[in-house]
Amino acid sequence: MVLANERSFQICARPSLMISDNDPRSSPVLDYLKQLHHTHAEFTGGEVATYIPELAKADPNWFAICLVTPDGQVYEVGDSKQQFTIQSISKPFVYGMALEDNTRSEVLAKIGMEPTGDAFNAISLESDTGRPRNPMINAGAIAAAGLVAGKSMSTRLQRILDTFSLYAGRELTVDEGVYSSESTTGHRNRAIGHMLRNFDIVDGDPTPIVDLYFKQCSISVNCRDLGIMAATLANHGVNPVTGKRAIRGEYVESVLSVMGSCGMYDYAGEWLYRVGMPAKSGVAGGIMAVLPGQLGIGIFSPPLDERGNSVRGIKVCDDFSRHFNLHLFNSPHANKAVIRLQYDGSQINSNRVRGDDEVFELRKSGRSIRVYQLQGNLVFSTAEVLVREIMSDLEDKKFVILDLKRTLEVNESACRLFHQLLLKLSAIGITLIFTHTSRAPMLRRYMKLKLGDRAAELYHAFDDNDPALEWCENKLLSELLPGYQSEYQLAPEQYELFQGLTPDEFTIIKGRLLLKTYRKGSVLVNTGDKALELFIVSKGSVSVVVTLASGSQKRLATFSSGMAFGEMALIDNATRSAIVVAETEVECHVLTVETFDALDDDHPHIKIVLLRNLAHSLSTKLRKVNREVSIFDY
Ligand code: GLN
């Protein structure tokens, strides 16, 4: 009861999100940011930093917000092109470079990862080791600058500029005015540098390293850059606008961790509690915050609070996080929705058209082929649900097909569970099959690595469900039907179309058929052709293929000996709606529309039988589509 009240109080307490007099065609997200900007622009608290004289020139009214999504959409409002220096927001990026350029233990020997309750410029080193407590305070940041690779200070600076430019997606430079102002007044940072030298945290003369640190802080950015840099961290290190990688993915979580625990100095705890996003602020008035996988945001507003964080920046993030429930620890539920639907081989068959005894057998035994159509992200929690569901229903199963077509990501923990599942299933004679594996590039590599020599035998992957189902059906049928073979040749009297004719009638119609042969791969029927004939496969097999809106091709049906196709022509005289391709060398019996119509005059009964057989074959096809519609819920 108490909880319910609290919750409803929270919802009611939220201010209304949208401004009313906006352009009906503009994005609701942009409208929201404009509203947020408008609300906080009126606030005048805080002081522009003056301890670096050049920073004192900033206009306290400058104010910008820039939100960037991991697919590269940029929403910017206010003074988003106003240049300012990155200052301490450089620290996480340089820490990431230190991790890339050294072993992790080398970095950890010189810089800790514990938050301090101190100000950014405190001379706080661990008493025993002299190690700065974390890379977000100046001492740790100077140590990190000392770990950037490069023969000379100018090559190191160039590496920093090149990396920052990759994050921002444009070429960044040092603001020389701010740099010299900072260098002239930066005695405290020089003192920190000497303390670091005293404890052997930096090698040699600390002065050039402190100078490099001044330069990295003086790199000029705008709010749009900050948003994109944040989104690059949200996007596993790849700039979502340019598609270029700025940092190796494996280090992103370390960078975000220190931002999460130490990024806002002595406000870090309350920030994490209220806003719940890894973030970093700088004394020029910038803040960047990252919600991994979802967004990056940059805010610029020079007036600072007593801890050195942008006052408006904090307010914007606080509101934004509350309005949209963005707290990191509020992650969305992953649940059973991972299984979009499931069906088995008695309900849905491949598009290979089969004879009656095969159809009968698949109706009876197709349950042993189970298909799980999956959706969304396959991560630990969703893969666990799936694996549990599969394991709970193994009775009479021979094949389990995992259809990945609608998945977004299959991460390493899902691959790990699938590998274990595959081994368990194969030990009890069940084959695990993956389809649409282009959705999961890591899966193939993972299985090859883990299965080694046994990969070819155990790992089964198909581009589409249809060939996977056909493969399972063929295996099942060859087990269950004595003498089953997927390629066979029927005599014309066995053709479906001629069932129910008297021997004399059969002889008459047979005499009116033409025999045509086609090479493997040739096109028998083309979309848009005038339909003048019906075909019956005598030898080999043909596939009916349509081109989907996406441009890819899909097999609608494969016919083998004794089956008729192109029959709609005899009925509606329309043009062809799909192409038909020879899968093998093919021989067909052909009945022209003209011959068929001429039966009206001399053999109307033959025509009646043929029409009845055609109606039967069309209704079988329609029933298949009906079954698919009821299962797939198109
Ligand atoms: N260059 C500034 C300094 O070291 C950076 C500080 C900051 O942005 N908090 O003083």
Side-chain angles (χ1 to χ4, degrees):
M1 199 57 206
V2 173
L3 274 178
N5 277 340
E6 274 182 17
R7 180 84 192 139
S8 58
F9 165 74
Q10 276 186 12
I11 291 169
C12 296
R14 278 177 198 165
S16 76
L17 299 185
M18 305 300 170
I19 37 178
S20 48
D21 57 344
N22 52 41
D23 172 359
R25 270 163 305 205
S26 74
S27 148
V29 175
L30 193 62
D31 290 349
Y32 167 77
L33 293 177
K34 282 184 188 161
Q35 171 72 73
L36 203 57
H37 186 272
H38 177 77
T39 306
H40 294 298
E42 285 166 17
F43 185 82
T44 53
E47 298 291 332
V48 172
T50 51
Y51 78 101
I52 299 173
E54 196 67 15
L55 294 184
K57 295 182 182 167
D59 179 342
N61 293 318
W62 284 336
F63 183 23
I65 307 174
C66 178
L67 173 70
V68 183
T69 65
D71 63 352
Q73 177 66 42
V74 180
Y75 298 98
E76 44 191 314
V77 295
D79 307 305
S80 60
K81 299 284 162 32
Q82 174 60 49
Q83 295 290 126
F84 58 95
T85 49
I86 192 165
Q87 296 297 339
S88 280
I89 306 171
S90 61
K91 292 171 181 172
F93 300 116
V94 171
Y95 182 60
M97 296 173 68
L99 286 169
E100 284 189 313
D101 293 353
N102 302 270
T103 66
R104 194 177 284 274
S105 52
E106 279 165 353
V107 174
L108 292 184
K110 302 208 167 196
I111 311 166
M113 59 184 91
E114 292 304 332
T116 66
D118 299 334
F120 67 89
N121 56 3
I123 305 184
S124 75
L125 308 179
E126 282 174 0
S127 51
D128 45 350
T129 59
R131 199 173 65 146
R133 286 188 209 275
N134 69 63
M136 299 294 105
I137 52 169
N138 289 7
I142 293 167
L147 289 170
V148 171
K151 283 207 173 69
S152 66
M153 285 303 151
S154 68
T155 55
R156 291 191 199 193
L157 175 64
Q158 197 53 51
R159 172 155 156 65
I160 291 176
L161 280 168
D162 290 346
T163 304
F164 281 34
S165 301
L166 281 170
Y167 274 105
R170 71 181 185 104
E171 202 179 317
L172 301 180
T173 53
V174 171
D175 179 327
E176 295 296 339
V178 175
Y179 160 66
S180 71
S181 179
E182 182 155 354
S183 171
T184 323
T185 53
H187 308 300
R188 191 178 176 94
N189 283 325
R190 287 200 181 84
I192 293 174
H194 282 283
M195 287 289 286
L196 293 172
R197 175 68 192 91
N198 179 56
F199 285 104
D200 287 328
I201 300 296
V202 298
D203 303 325
D205 181 0
T207 312
I209 295 172
V210 176
D211 189 61
L212 182 64
Y213 167 75
F214 289 150
K215 286 187 173 138
Q216 82 177 48
C217 289
S218 305
I219 292 173
S220 182
V221 292
N222 60 36
C223 189
R224 182 188 161 92
D225 297 329
L226 271 196
I228 297 175
M229 294 172 97
T232 301
L233 289 173
N235 192 36
H236 306 292
V238 175
N239 180 318
V241 177
T242 62
K244 291 192 184 151
R245 179 168 288 287
I247 173 174
R248 290 218 298 278
E250 65 208 273
Y251 296 119
V252 171
E253 72 179 35
S254 308
V255 171
L256 291 175
S257 300
V258 290
M259 284 168 63
S261 57
C262 324
M264 303 297 282
Y265 315 115
D266 37 346
Y267 186 64
E270 188 171 340
W271 172 273
L272 189 63
Y273 189 92
R274 293 175 64 102
V275 178
M277 288 185 235
K280 188 71 204 83
S281 64
V283 287
I287 294 186
M288 71 161 184
V290 178
L291 189 56
Q294 293 202 53
L295 59 92
I297 185 166
I299 303 110
F300 169 54
S301 164
L304 308 178
D305 62 17
E306 63 286 358
R307 285 143 156 156
N309 295 321
S310 165
V311 178
R312 288 197 191 103
I314 287 187
K315 287 179 179 294
V316 164
C317 290
D318 206 19
D319 276 0
F320 182 46
S321 173
R322 263 184 318 114
H323 291 162
F324 288 100
N325 265 327
L326 298 176
H327 198 291
L328 198 58
F329 300 150
N330 214 347
S331 60
H333 249 304
N335 56 26
K336 287 208 174 194
V338 66
I339 304 174
R340 182 170 183 265
L341 51 91
Q342 31 182 318
Y343 53 89
D344 65 49
S346 72
Q347 301 166 296
I348 298 289
N349 295 132
S350 72
N351 291 327
R352 171 169 288 277
V353 180
R354 298 189 178 273
D356 289 346
D357 50 342
E358 294 170 25
V359 169
F360 179 79
E361 196 54 53
L362 289 177
R363 283 282 159 283
K364 197 166 68 140
S365 313
R367 270 180 46 77
S368 63
I369 306 171
R370 185 101 197 136
V371 185
Y372 295 86
Q373 193 184 90
L374 309 174
Q375 65 186 357
N377 285 328
L378 279 161
V379 295
F380 174 77
S381 56
T382 48
E384 185 277 333
V385 167
L386 171 65
V387 167
R388 179 152 40 101
E389 181 75 16
I390 295 170
M391 298 298 289
S392 72
D393 186 20
L394 294 178
E395 202 166 333
D396 302 329
K397 297 290 174 290
K398 290 197 168 72
F399 302 94
V400 170
I401 299 180
L402 301 185
D403 171 2
L404 304 176
K405 182 173 178 185
R406 290 174 175 79
T407 59
L408 300 172
E409 182 195 354
V410 180
N411 80 358
E412 193 171 340
S413 52
C415 294
R416 198 182 170 119
L417 287 179
F418 290 163
H419 169 242
Q420 294 303 318
L421 176 72
L422 186 148
L423 294 179
K424 279 182 169 292
L425 294 185
S426 90
I428 50 174
I430 301 176
T431 308
L432 182 64
I433 296 148
F434 297 90
T435 68
H436 294 281
T437 42
S438 59
R439 312 285 314 155
M442 184 186 276
L443 181 68
R444 187 192 162 82
R445 264 183 282 132
Y446 192 93
M447 290 293 180
K448 292 242 143 113
L449 189 75
K450 295 288 171 179
L451 296 169
D453 292 347
R454 301 187 67 202
E457 167 208 347
L458 292 179
Y459 174 62
H460 301 282
F462 290 87
D463 293 340
D464 199 351
N465 282 359
D466 186 27
L469 274 173
E470 182 178 350
W471 185 81
C472 297
E473 289 165 1
N474 287 345
K475 285 205 175 287
L476 192 64
L477 291 171
S478 55
E479 248 176 60
L480 299 174
L481 289 180
Y484 169 81
Q485 54 197 76
S486 50
E487 297 299 334
Y488 52 86
Q489 185 174 6
L490 297 185
E493 51 269 37
Q494 295 171 292
Y495 292 175
E496 256 174 6
L497 188 63
F498 300 148
Q499 299 311 301
L501 293 175
T502 65
D504 286 348
E505 286 172 335
F506 171 70
T507 313
I508 292 166
I509 192 70
K510 189 172 174 234
R512 297 185 185 183
L513 300 176
L514 309 170
L515 191 64
K516 293 194 182 175
T517 55
Y518 300 89
R519 288 219 175 123
K520 178 173 171 172
S522 59
V523 174
L524 286 74
V525 159
N526 225 325
T527 319
D529 283 357
K530 197 157 169 36
L532 299 171
E533 49 208 358
L534 164 139
F535 299 79
I536 311 159
V537 181
S538 160
K539 206 157 81 187
S541 57
V542 300
S543 287
V544 182
V545 178
V546 284
T547 305
L548 302 177
S550 63
S552 62
Q553 301 222 308
K554 179 149 184 75
R555 169 175 90 155
L556 290 186
T558 294
F559 297 104
S560 36
S561 181
M563 295 165 188
F565 64 93
E567 68 275 40
M568 292 189 316
L570 300 191
I571 297 166
D572 64 9
N573 278 319
T575 54
R576 302 290 189 191
S577 53
I579 65 168
V580 179
V581 186
E583 295 278 359
T584 57
E585 292 284 304
V586 170
E587 207 174 271
C588 281
H589 278 112
V590 175
L591 176 63
T592 65
V593 176
E594 210 178 320
T595 311
F596 183 69
D597 286 343
L599 292 169
D600 285 345
D601 300 329
D602 55 356
H603 294 287
H605 182 253
I606 297 185
K607 186 157 181 185
I608 291 171
V609 174
L610 297 192
L611 279 172
R612 197 175 57 216
N613 288 339
L614 286 179
H616 181 264
S617 118
L618 285 172
S619 76
T620 309
K621 288 176 189 167
L622 195 55
R623 278 180 201 282
K624 180 176 191 308
V625 174
N626 287 353
R627 256 199 326 277
E628 288 175 0
V629 170
S630 69
I631 295 215
F632 293 139
D633 184 18
Y634 293 130

